[in-house]
DNA sequence: CATTCATATAAGCTGTTGCTTATATATTTT
DNA sequence: AAAATATATAAGCAACAGCTTATATGAATG
């Protein structure tokens, strides 16, 4: 089950554009070292580090240490609270949902 | 098309638990007058008013004036930016998505 | 083991957010 | 039009969020 607090956390965490951009890069690139995320970010290394902590605390990313690098990847369950919550509003976005469904079915 | 700003707005707006509770009540009850939302809220009338403004600005609710009451209802397109964005992460929540799909198909 | 590289933490500053009380604006009722 | 009801706005405040610079930790390398 998903708690209100978890949902709030996920929403707050994704609401910041800089942090969301970090998340999106991780999602796109599969597994990324923090250094690489700092490169190509507008903000400083500590800022990125803080965002990564927030993403991890929200359950949105997981980390794997390899030597002195830490690789981040998206945590599959992280978006769960958001998905679940949206489930309650099916009726309101049914049309868009159907588009999404097509996408998922791989009908190009 | 959905802009980053719109998505940020929707996320920020829903991230506050009090405001999200207001949104959820509107969703559940269909069409609600602001007064009614104030009744049964922990916060003051101005606070509710401010939350309603935020929800409207984010495109999440629409209003209809009737006499001196203003009735709020969920705006169908409001969650669009969020749905669209999640579409990019299909692969990460495919399992949950399938549950959702069942729900939508009305298979109880 | 001293240095370099990768990441995290600390401290402080600034802007934003959500709330309050007080007051203003609309609309209806008497 | 005066009073009552419904909502919005203004102003101020306390808490928080995100950034910075400076420094600490942790791991690899010479």
């Amino acid at each position: 089950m998903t708690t209100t607090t978890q949902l709030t956390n996920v929403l707050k965490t994704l609401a910041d554009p800089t942090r969301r951009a970090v998340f999106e890069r991780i999602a796109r690139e599969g597994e990324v070292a923090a250094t690489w995320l700092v490169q190509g970010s507008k903000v400083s290394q500590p800022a990125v580090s803080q965002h990564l902590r927030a993403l991890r605390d929200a359950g949105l990313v997981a980390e794997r240490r390899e030597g002195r690098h830490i690789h981040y990847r998206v945590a599959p369950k992280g978006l769960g609270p958001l998905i679940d919550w949206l489930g309650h509003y099916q009726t309101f976005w049914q049309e868009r949902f159907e588009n999404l469904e097509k996408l998922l079915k791989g009908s190009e």
Side-chain angles (χ1 to χ4, degrees), chain A:
Chain A
M1 217 263 302
T2 298
T3 73
T4 297
T5 307
Q6 285 175 320
L7 175 59
T8 299
N9 234 305
V10 169
L11 287 167
K12 267 199 202 162
T13 303
L14 294 173
D16 181 70
T18 309
R19 186 161 48 230
R20 197 171 61 245
V22 171
F23 176 79
E24 286 171 353
R25 268 192 78 189
I26 297 174
R28 271 198 310 276
E29 307 192 15
E31 238 201 3
V32 210
T35 309
W36 188 244
L37 292 168
V38 171
Q39 291 302 102
S41 170
K42 302 285 181 189
V43 296
S44 66
Q45 177 268 318
V48 173
S49 181
Q50 285 156 20
H51 284 312
L52 288 171
R53 189 192 215 293
L55 288 167
R56 181 165 46 73
D57 288 352
L60 287 163
V61 301
E63 44 183 68
R64 181 178 63 87
R65 176 138 225 160
E66 189 176 302
R68 47 188 171 190
H69 295 261
I70 298 185
H71 296 269
Y72 286 87
R73 62 184 182 280
V74 166
K77 294 183 181 171
L79 291 171
L82 192 45
I83 305 297
D84 292 346
W85 183 79
L86 280 170
H88 299 137
Y89 301 98
Q90 312 162 39
T91 52
F92 295 114
W93 43 273
Q94 212 147 0
E95 291 168 28
R96 285 174 188 268
F97 183 87
E98 276 155 21
N99 293 337
L100 204 60
E101 192 175 357
K102 275 181 207 144
L103 254 173
L104 187 73
K105 290 285 162 61
S107 49
E108 184 53 25

